Amino acid sequence: MKNKILRFLMLLILGIYASVFTFGQGSTTSGLNGKVSNSSGETLPGATILAVHEGSGFQYATITDASGFFRLPNMNVGGPYKVTISFVGFHSFERSDIYLTLGQTFKINVKLIEDIMALEEIIVTGSRYEMFDGNRTGAETVINQQTIENLPTVGRDLTDFTRLTPQAIVRDNEDGALSISIAGANNRYNSLTIDGAVNNDVFGLSATGTNGGQTGASPISMDAIEQFQVVIAPFDVKQSGFAGGGINAVTRRGSNTVTGSVYYFLRNESLAGVTPTDDANADRVKLDPFTAQTYGFRVGGPIIRDKMHFFISAEQQKDETPQPFSFSDYEGDATLDSLQLFRDKLKNEFDYDPGWFDANTRTLESKKLLARIDYSLSNKHKLMLRHSYTKSEATKPIISSKRTINFFNSGEYFPSTTNVTAAELKSMLGNAANNLIITFTSVIDDRDPIGKDVPKIEIFDGVGYINAGSEEYSTANKLEQNVLTITDNFTLYKGKHTLTFGTNNEFSKTYNLFMRRAYGEFRFNSLDEFLND
């Protein structure tokens, strides 16, 4: 019966694989493997291996095969784990404080000692010949929870920590967001998955390469991340679909103990350095007033001890970034009085207030919620369900310059909503294992002008320009993306050999509304032309 089930699963997976294309995929698990023998080096088939995650009580069990090898794949990352290896007539082997790393396999080779002897067991781990074993499959950087908590960070997002990857370059964009170039490739050639769900901007507009990235917000709270991994050209068929780098993250999970945190972060001009300059004689002044606030909480604990656990994370971000401008630097013909007349005419005759131009502050508000449930169906099957919600709203007025006067409402208002649902079933099936991940991602970017829906107004002002009215690219601009991914990796163990069969399918549906200057545009050769109709 078991062989029929395995054959059915293999045929089903290969059938799906043959019918669709393969896209990007990442890693969500880790594992244990090794070999069990006696003191003479003879293998011990049928030895029992039991790994217990001490925090949650989740158990993973298997036995050694005819050649003495064992594998425990599809295990949750982190730890600590306690591993017990036993065989009739031999002293049991125990090892605690084992921590597993995302995408890697921890190797334990054990020699058990017969009961009649009083010697202790011997463990042999690692060798220089195992560099490309499952424990490491190419150039990669793993950032664990301890590193995330201890490393200084300004933006509190994944981008800050990818700096630890030698092949990664992080660039600042004009809107304050960060983009990641890995191995010299454009950021749009990277792949970002969280719990196996697609979180990179499939449509390709975001400079950060992440969903909702056009607002400048991060896709997930760093307080919800357990580990993440940056891989470059991995020797692993399960990780593919990118030309730059693959960034794989997994979220925290609950345990048998209720744990959590409440936090608040604040930055402002009093907590920042003075403006830098290369001129030793120049005065260094404080930055203009700004605020960057982040506050939230997380909590995790048991629903059923040793069986089912929950984790919840919530975070609020509020940023205000000034864009100071001195009118004395403007090189056009307009005066402050004539610009005030321009504004008054729009308000009185057209019932439209364009705002002002000298202190156009950018704002960002972002809410992030995440809920996760882990259920141990048995020591062979583990189920994970997770949903995350991110809502960000950015108000982005355009800063004025020496040649341009931009009134506040000539900028853009950018709301973005992302919902991600992920389900993962990890199974061990005798001498085989299966990892099934199904995810659905919904992203809605609904860019609009600031203020009323009015035509764009552009006035030629000598060598300068005056802009008011609706921002020309925001008048009708909406992007909806739905992405469904189905990934299944079936692994078959035959002695020293591991065979992996699988499929990764990404189905995306996109609706893109874009009408430039949908309300029209009025151009004037001078400010006087406008004022005199």
Side-chain angles (χ1 to χ4, degrees):
M1 183 67 181
K2 185 183 294 184
N3 291 333
K4 290 182 179 179
I5 293 174
L6 291 176
R7 284 197 297 270
F8 174 76
L9 285 173
M10 291 178 66
L11 289 173
L12 176 63
I13 293 167
L14 291 174
I16 296 174
Y17 182 78
S19 62
V20 293
F21 293 102
T22 300
F23 294 86
Q25 56 179 322
S27 176
T28 62
T29 63
S30 55
L32 287 167
N33 67 12
K35 185 177 182 180
V36 180
S37 58
N38 61 20
S39 56
S40 302
E42 298 174 346
T43 58
L44 296 177
T48 300
I49 291 87
L50 176 65
V52 180
H53 185 272
E54 297 184 29
S56 64
F58 281 18
Q59 297 183 3
Y60 303 83
T62 189
I63 60 174
T64 55
D65 60 18
S67 301
F69 292 101
F70 72 90
R71 292 95 171 171
L72 283 174
N74 295 334
M75 297 176 67
N76 289 331
V77 300
Y81 282 90
K82 180 180 179 180
V83 176
T84 303
I85 301 176
S86 58
F87 192 74
V88 176
F90 289 78
H91 287 287
S92 295
F93 165 85
E94 290 186 357
R95 180 172 176 180
S96 302
D97 293 326
I98 294 176
Y99 289 83
L100 302 183
T101 302
L102 178 62
Q104 297 184 7
T105 301
F106 191 96
K107 174 166 284 190
I108 301 178
N109 291 335
V110 176
K111 289 187 177 181
L112 298 182
I113 307 301
E114 289 83 351
D115 248 345
I116 59 173
M117 301 178 65
L119 297 178
E120 296 182 355
E121 48 280 320
I122 301 171
I123 178 171
V124 180
T125 59
S127 80
R128 62 191 179 93
Y129 299 107
E130 296 171 358
M131 179 169 293
F132 291 102
D133 179 73
N135 192 47
R136 190 172 183 86
T137 58
E140 65 179 34
T141 302
V142 176
I143 295 91
N144 57 26
Q145 198 175 107
Q146 184 178 10
T147 302
I148 294 173
E149 292 174 350
N150 294 335
L151 194 69
T153 172
V154 175
R156 280 185 58 79
D157 61 28
L158 291 171
T159 306
D160 268 349
F161 297 93
T162 56
R163 301 176 193 268
L164 297 174
T165 304
Q167 297 88 349
I169 298 175
V170 180
R171 295 185 174 91
D172 294 320
N173 298 298
E174 292 180 359
D175 59 0
L178 301 175
S179 62
I180 313 167
S181 173
I182 300 178
N186 185 282
N187 69 293
R188 291 170 177 82
Y189 291 97
N190 299 331
S191 171
L192 171 62
T193 62
I194 300 177
D195 291 332
V198 174
N199 273 264
N200 48 294
D201 175 27
V202 176
F203 198 74
L205 293 177
S206 169
T208 64
T210 59
N211 291 327
Q214 293 186 80
T215 65
S218 60
I220 191 171
S221 167
M222 285 305 301
D223 222 50
I225 297 295
E226 172 83 13
Q227 283 188 22
F228 74 94
Q229 168 198 48
V230 181
V231 295
I232 303 165
F235 292 84
D236 186 350
V237 69
K238 293 181 291 185
Q239 301 196 58
S240 62
F242 54 88
I247 304 173
N248 308 312
V250 291
T251 55
R252 290 179 186 253
R253 58 191 183 276
S255 66
N256 285 332
T257 304
V258 177
T259 60
S261 71
V262 178
Y263 55 90
Y264 174 71
F265 297 93
L266 168 67
R267 288 189 300 120
N268 59 26
E269 71 281 1
S270 298
L271 298 173
V274 293
T275 56
T277 177
D278 294 330
D279 187 354
N281 298 319
D283 292 330
R284 299 181 64 191
V285 298
K286 291 181 66 173
L287 297 176
D288 289 283
F290 75 94
T291 58
Q293 302 179 78
T294 302
Y295 48 89
F297 74 91
R298 61 173 169 85
V299 61
I303 300 174
I304 303 173
R305 288 186 61 85
D306 298 334
K307 294 288 291 184
M308 183 181 292
H309 304 89
F310 75 93
F311 175 81
I312 298 173
S313 169
E315 183 174 284
Q316 171 86 45
Q317 177 185 358
K318 290 186 176 181
D319 294 351
E320 292 187 0
T321 306
Q323 299 182 126
F325 169 72
S326 175
F327 183 73
S328 60
D329 295 331
Y330 181 59
E331 298 175 355
D333 296 337
T335 64
L336 280 175
D337 290 340
S338 62
L339 290 173
Q340 185 62 57
L341 291 173
F342 169 73
R343 183 187 184 190
D344 292 341
K345 185 178 179 67
L346 288 174
K347 292 171 65 177
N348 298 331
E349 297 186 22
F350 301 99
D351 191 28
Y352 175 71
D353 186 355
W356 202 233
F357 61 84
D358 61 344
N360 292 342
T361 300
R362 299 167 63 99
T363 62
L364 170 62
E365 292 194 17
S366 179
K367 300 180 179 71
K368 303 179 181 72
L369 300 173
L370 181 142
R372 169 173 170 156
I373 291 177
D374 289 86
Y375 185 26
S376 178
L377 304 173
S378 68
N379 60 7
K380 299 291 186 182
H381 304 281
K382 305 292 187 290
L383 176 66
M384 183 277 293
L385 300 173
R386 192 265 288 177
H387 183 82
S388 64
Y389 166 83
T390 302
K391 175 64 180 293
S392 302
E393 295 179 317
T395 302
K396 303 193 285 187
I398 305 171
I399 188 172
S400 298
S401 65
K402 291 182 178 182
R403 295 290 180 94
T404 308
I405 295 292
N406 294 309
F407 282 81
F408 184 87
N409 283 355
S410 64
E412 65 184 68
Y413 167 68
F414 205 121
S416 177
T417 303
T418 301
N419 283 279
V420 182
T421 302
E424 181 177 23
L425 178 62
K426 297 175 286 189
S427 303
M428 288 183 289
L429 311 167
N431 66 335
N434 196 73
N435 181 222
L436 172 65
I437 302 174
I438 301 175
T439 69
F440 180 75
T441 302
S442 170
V443 185
I444 301 177
D445 294 333
D446 192 6
R447 177 174 168 177
D448 289 302
I450 302 174
K452 286 186 175 182
D453 296 338
V454 299
K456 174 181 171 59
I457 302 171
E458 184 177 31
I459 298 174
F460 298 100
D461 188 40
V463 296
Y465 298 88
I466 300 171
N467 293 312
S470 295
E471 199 275 327
E472 59 182 325
Y473 299 106
S474 303
T475 52
N477 193 330
K478 186 175 185 180
L479 176 64
E480 296 181 1
Q481 302 178 74
N482 293 320
V483 183
L484 172 67
T485 60
I486 302 174
T487 301
D488 194 277
N489 293 307
F490 180 79
T491 305
L492 187 64
Y493 304 109
K494 291 292 185 180
K496 294 183 178 181
H497 305 287
T498 300
L499 305 176
T500 300
F501 306 89
T503 178
N504 175 251
N505 314 282
E506 182 176 308
F507 306 93
S508 62
K509 180 181 179 181
T510 301
Y511 167 80
N512 183 33
L513 167 67
F514 178 68
M515 291 177 63
R516 183 184 179 194
R517 299 170 182 164
Y519 310 127
E521 177 179 7
F522 290 91
R523 290 182 177 177
F524 297 86
N525 289 321
S526 68
L527 188 55
D528 286 339
E529 278 193 4
F530 176 85
L531 295 175
N532 297 320
D533 297 323

